[in-house]
Amino acid sequence: MIVNMSSTATQEQIDHVMERIKECGFLPHLIKGAERTVIGVVGKNRGRRNELEALRVAPGVEDLISISQPFTLVSLQLQTQRTIVNVKDVRIGGPELVVMAGPCSVESREQLMETARAVKAAGATILRGGAYKPRTSPYDFQGLGLEGLKILKEASEETGLPIVTEVMGIEDLDAVVEYADMMQVGARNMQNYPLLRRLATVPRPVLLKRGPSATIKEWLLAAEYLLSGGNPNVVLCERGIKTFDSELRNTLDLVGVALAKELCHLPIVVDPSHATGRRSLVPAASCAAVAIGADGLIIEVHPCPERALSDGPQSLDLPGFAAMMQTLQSAMAVAAAGR
Ligand code: PEP
Ligand code: MN
């Protein structure tokens, strides 16, 4: 960080700022120019960074310029090698594009088994499905809970596909850890810091969805909670954000994916289903996500979308998913060659 003192700053004010920097556990480096003075601040005392930032209002200070990111551990500034996250034997962030697919909600054994077999045959390598559902209305289907987790496990055992499923609250955490191979933090929970702190301590990779109104910085800082708490196995997921347009469910922030990849070393997957809310747009959004450098996709698939208990309009049916995977093959080959 650089503290830019105002041209009228007195020696006493400069001394005070230098002293305060030392008190916060950092080293000040004074640079006196002909007209003004700047103070370079070095050190890693992350916990007191906000005290340093308060110096912005100290007498004689004109401006503070941050030169390192507040999300230190996820930043590419500190770790220049990209992280690869293993979900059982599936590697996310390597040369292969990873496709996670399955229904929005686990509704029954038959529905999940049929979907699991079909998505596997079409090339998906991770099975998704919600057992605990964050529904906007309390009157909507809330998920099968523990029974849903058991069905997921059975489908995983039969197909060999690892499972990603959402954990909505700390109260369900132990059950989800027992059955899931990857813990999904839903968009609504991206800033549930007590939940993130607990997930930092569990021996499972985490899929961290971007909050509908979260900035890139807030999203990366949420990931920082997981890494700083001890869990380095984090995959980010862009699932659309709120904008002024109401034609689509959300707005897919594809350039945000590219930016997040410039800023951090974690793998990033795209969820075109929630981002668009419309099944017809899912294949095109998926190709675009691959083209911009996403490490994977998470896609909602249902054997009969018109009967789905949640998110039917954005779910591909089984032949639709297989067809999309065919179209994606060439996009995947191009992406793999470029990695
Ligand atoms: C989901 O994956 O079904 C889901 C609820 O997603 P999001 O948290 O992105 O809305
Ligand atoms: Mn859904």
Side-chain angles (χ1 to χ4, degrees):
M1 186 174 293
I2 292 169
V3 184
N4 184 14
M5 300 300 297
S6 101
S7 54
T8 55
T10 63
Q11 188 56 48
E12 204 185 348
Q13 289 170 338
I14 295 170
D15 291 345
H16 169 72
V17 172
M18 297 277 289
E19 223 20 68
R20 193 65 200 116
I21 291 168
K22 283 189 224 156
E23 270 170 28
C24 294
F26 294 86
L27 265 183
H29 287 273
L30 190 69
I31 307 160
K32 262 191 177 303
E35 290 194 358
R36 59 170 71 226
T37 296
V38 297
I39 306 169
V41 183
V42 289
K44 281 195 182 164
N45 203 346
R46 281 181 217 127
R48 299 191 70 180
R49 194 182 158 113
N50 57 349
E51 288 177 68
L52 266 191
E53 276 163 9
L55 281 176
R56 192 180 293 280
V57 293
V61 172
E62 187 166 294
D63 201 9
L64 284 189
I65 302 153
S66 212
I67 50 176
S68 60
Q69 302 287 10
F71 37 84
T72 321
L73 298 178
V74 307
S75 163
L76 265 174
Q77 284 179 333
L78 192 78
Q79 179 182 319
T80 51
Q81 207 169 355
R82 294 211 169 268
T83 292
I84 293 185
V85 173
N86 287 295
V87 183
K88 284 209 161 153
D89 56 356
V90 178
R91 285 158 57 87
I92 311 179
E96 263 110 51
L97 183 92
V98 173
V99 179
M100 312 175 185
C104 175
S105 301
V106 180
E107 298 170 5
S108 68
R109 202 180 156 274
E110 296 65 38
Q111 170 244 19
L112 190 72
M113 289 300 178
E114 189 181 354
T115 314
R117 288 181 198 123
V119 299
K120 180 178 175 160
T125 52
I126 296 181
L127 178 64
R128 68 145 285 149
Y132 298 90
K133 294 305 301 176
R135 303 306 303 280
T136 303
S137 164
Y139 306 114
D140 287 342
F141 176 61
Q142 303 286 311
L144 295 181
L146 187 60
E147 191 194 334
L149 292 177
K150 290 183 179 163
I151 296 173
L152 280 164
K153 187 82 185 164
E154 197 183 331
S156 171
E157 276 163 6
E158 192 198 293
T159 58
L161 297 174
I163 293 160
V164 58
T165 192
E166 177 160 355
V167 56
M168 260 174 56
I170 289 173
E171 59 284 7
D172 310 319
L173 192 124
D174 291 343
V176 181
V177 169
E178 190 181 334
Y179 291 94
D181 302 299
M182 182 179 218
M183 315 284 283
Q184 175 173 326
V185 176
R188 295 160 184 81
N189 258 330
M190 187 205 85
Q191 285 175 309
N192 181 341
Y193 301 120
L195 178 64
L196 295 179
R197 279 207 194 89
R198 280 293 306 276
L199 282 168
T201 66
V202 306
R204 293 283 180 281
V206 175
L207 181 70
L208 179 63
K209 288 197 157 195
R210 179 177 177 186
S213 306
T215 63
I216 304 268
K217 194 185 272 182
E218 287 163 345
W219 187 24
L220 298 183
L221 281 168
E224 188 82 8
Y225 267 84
L226 295 165
L227 270 76
S228 65
N231 191 344
N233 297 310
V234 178
V235 175
L236 299 170
C237 176
E238 158 62 32
R239 46 77 74 203
I241 51 172
K242 296 261 179 242
T243 60
F244 54 85
D245 191 4
S246 56
E247 286 300 313
L248 296 173
R249 183 170 179 180
N250 289 295
T251 295
L252 175 54
D253 185 10
L254 272 183
V255 180
V257 172
L259 176 60
K261 289 212 73 154
E262 271 188 18
L263 294 173
C264 88
H265 54 77
L266 299 174
I268 307 184
V269 304
V270 167
D271 175 345
S273 310
H274 293 89
T276 62
R278 274 197 216 185
R279 144 186 15 166
S280 65
L281 298 174
V282 168
S286 299
C287 287
V290 174
I292 209 145
D295 297 289
L297 299 165
I298 178 163
I299 295 172
E300 288 188 339
V301 182
H302 194 286
C304 184
E306 69 178 54
R307 289 177 180 268
L309 298 183
S310 62
D311 288 348
Q314 69 195 32
S315 300
L316 294 172
D317 59 14
L318 308 182
F321 178 69
M324 189 198 85
M325 290 295 278
Q326 286 292 324
T327 322
L328 265 182
Q329 287 306 325
S330 50
M332 288 195 212
V334 172
R339 279 161 200 259

